[in-house]
Amino acid sequence: MSKKISVIVNCHNGEKYLNKCISSILSQKYKNIEVIFFDNFSSDSSKKILDKFNDDRINYFYSDKKLSLYDARNKAIKYSKGEIIAFLDVDDWWDINYLSSRENVYDDESYDYFYSNVFMFYEKNKKYKKYKKYILPNGKIYNLLAKDYFIIISGFMIRRKIFDQIGCFDYNFNIIGDFDLVMRISKKFNAHAINDPLIFYRYHNNNFLKKNTEIFYNEFNEWYRNQTELKDKYFLNNIEHFKKKLLSIEIIHLLINKNKDYYLFNKILKYPNFFKKIKYLLAFFMPKTLIKFLTK
């Protein structure tokens, strides 16, 4: 018998995109699924839209107060019953073959979690762009993720038993909780990748990360300091990659949110990649209205 997959959809006022998201789950060729729809104190028409599907695979849960994203994700996990847990953000959607594309792998216990390449959908100009052009790796991938983080939470799947061993999301984070979880998992467990872009990630003006670069920087800086204090060997073996990432996040945050001064200029000069350094220097001397284009 095929393994049951719990698809977790966290929603806070997601009426604009909800229909496409849920339709893409229910139309999957892989049928042994349940949808855990966690309504995080929505005040829009999300519940009415969901009710129209009238599908007994949908399980609806409502929070009577607004929770942080990762607290909400953790609570949704507790409601799930599947042997494998998948995530799909309400503004994204799946190809009809996403879950069935590796149906023959779910019973292979040598793989502990699963991910896929992605199509980035730019809502403003209706264009699609393949997220990663190289072959995505299987197995122990921490060192590769340190160089270039290539996993999107929408479509990310993990065996339930892994949560029992390492815990769930760190609810103290608001943005990097996905990153933190995946980096913890990738130290000990084996990944399975699908190189076809079977996930569609919607890039739009309301993306939380896009609107909160300062929170992103503060959280990544905290994560970096915590790993340093823990003297985590995986982290220390890749510390130069993380230093570079932290510097890049700080530069983008300063370009968007702070005055352009000598401190920022000096940070840009220290950036090790020549082409990105030139890009940041151009942004430094341009009006803030053009910076978003140069820093994305």
Side-chain angles (χ1 to χ4, degrees):
M1 184 177 177
S2 62
K3 292 189 181 299
K4 188 169 191 174
I5 298 177
S6 298
V7 184
I8 290 178
V9 180
N10 285 92
C11 175
H12 174 70
N13 293 340
E15 63 181 5
K16 184 176 180 181
Y17 306 114
L18 181 56
N19 189 72
K20 192 171 187 67
C21 171
I22 299 300
S23 294
S24 79
I25 300 171
L26 299 179
S27 63
Q28 289 292 302
K29 290 183 178 179
Y30 189 92
K31 298 302 181 184
N32 191 11
I33 64 172
E34 66 169 2
V35 179
I36 304 298
F37 189 91
F38 192 87
D39 188 339
N40 193 5
F41 199 54
S42 293
S43 58
D44 65 357
S45 300
S46 293
K47 177 64 163 59
K48 292 181 180 179
I49 295 170
L50 191 70
D51 287 343
K52 291 179 181 179
F53 285 98
N54 193 29
D55 192 306
D56 60 10
R57 292 176 295 174
I58 297 175
N59 301 279
Y60 177 83
F61 302 93
Y62 181 77
S63 175
D64 58 6
K65 64 178 180 179
K66 179 70 163 58
L67 305 175
S68 69
L69 171 61
Y70 297 108
D71 191 10
R73 286 209 205 283
N74 288 341
K75 284 181 168 54
I77 291 169
K78 291 180 180 179
Y79 289 123
S80 66
K81 298 177 181 178
E83 297 169 82
I84 296 173
I85 298 171
F87 298 89
L88 183 60
D89 284 344
V90 73
D91 42 2
D92 304 329
W93 72 98
W94 288 341
D95 181 278
I96 193 173
N97 297 302
Y98 179 63
L99 294 179
S100 63
S101 63
R102 59 181 121 222
E103 188 169 359
N104 62 333
V105 183
Y106 294 141
D107 289 326
D108 186 346
E109 293 293 330
S110 63
Y111 293 112
D112 306 295
Y113 63 105
F114 313 87
Y115 72 103
S116 167
N117 210 335
V118 176
F119 268 130
M120 309 296 285
F121 173 65
Y122 294 90
E123 187 173 76
K124 187 174 181 179
N125 55 19
K126 309 299 181 186
K127 289 186 177 180
Y128 294 85
K129 181 181 178 182
K130 190 175 180 180
Y131 185 44
K132 297 300 177 183
K133 303 294 178 63
Y134 50 77
I135 301 298
L136 296 173
N138 296 319
K140 300 289 193 307
I141 61 174
Y142 183 97
N143 294 339
L144 297 169
L145 288 169
K147 295 177 184 177
D148 181 21
Y149 188 75
F150 44 76
I151 291 182
I152 300 291
I153 191 64
S154 282
F156 181 74
M157 295 189 285
I158 180 172
R159 297 190 191 277
R160 173 182 295 280
K161 64 182 181 180
I162 306 304
F163 284 125
D164 296 333
Q165 296 180 48
I166 68 161
C168 295
F169 295 96
D170 185 339
Y171 60 81
N172 293 305
F173 292 126
N174 290 292
I175 289 182
I176 70 162
D178 304 335
F179 168 83
D180 169 70
L181 176 70
V182 172
M183 296 309 290
R184 281 189 279 133
I185 292 169
S186 64
K187 295 175 188 178
K188 299 180 179 180
F189 301 102
N190 291 315
H192 182 273
I194 292 288
N195 286 289
D196 293 332
L198 300 177
I199 300 166
F200 297 87
Y201 175 87
R202 190 187 301 269
Y203 191 86
H204 54 81
N205 289 331
N206 291 321
N207 289 105
F208 189 74
L209 173 56
K210 184 178 179 182
K211 295 171 66 177
N212 293 277
T213 56
E214 184 171 8
I215 297 175
F216 184 29
Y217 166 67
N218 289 335
E219 290 191 358
F220 193 86
N221 189 34
E222 178 186 350
W223 180 87
Y224 181 94
R225 286 188 284 105
N226 289 341
Q227 301 304 306
T228 304
E229 291 172 4
L230 291 170
K231 295 183 169 56
D232 180 84
K233 66 177 182 179
Y234 298 92
F235 171 80
L236 293 176
N237 288 340
N238 291 278
I239 194 167
E240 292 305 316
H241 298 303
F242 292 119
K243 280 182 180 177
K244 181 179 174 182
K245 183 175 180 66
L246 179 61
L247 179 57
S248 177
I249 294 170
E250 182 180 15
I251 289 171
I252 292 172
H253 153 56
L254 293 172
L255 282 169
I256 292 174
N257 300 301
K258 302 295 182 181
N259 293 327
K260 299 174 184 178
D261 54 16
Y262 176 75
Y263 177 84
L264 171 56
F265 186 74
N266 191 46
K267 287 283 184 180
I268 294 173
L269 292 180
K270 290 180 179 178
Y271 195 77
N273 182 285
F274 175 77
F275 293 105
K276 263 201 169 181
K277 182 187 297 185
I278 296 301
K279 191 176 180 180
Y280 292 148
L281 284 171
L282 287 171
F284 183 85
F285 291 108
M286 283 186 174
K288 283 185 178 288
T289 53
L290 296 177
I291 289 175
K292 288 182 180 180
F293 168 74
L294 290 167
T295 55
K296 72 179 184 179

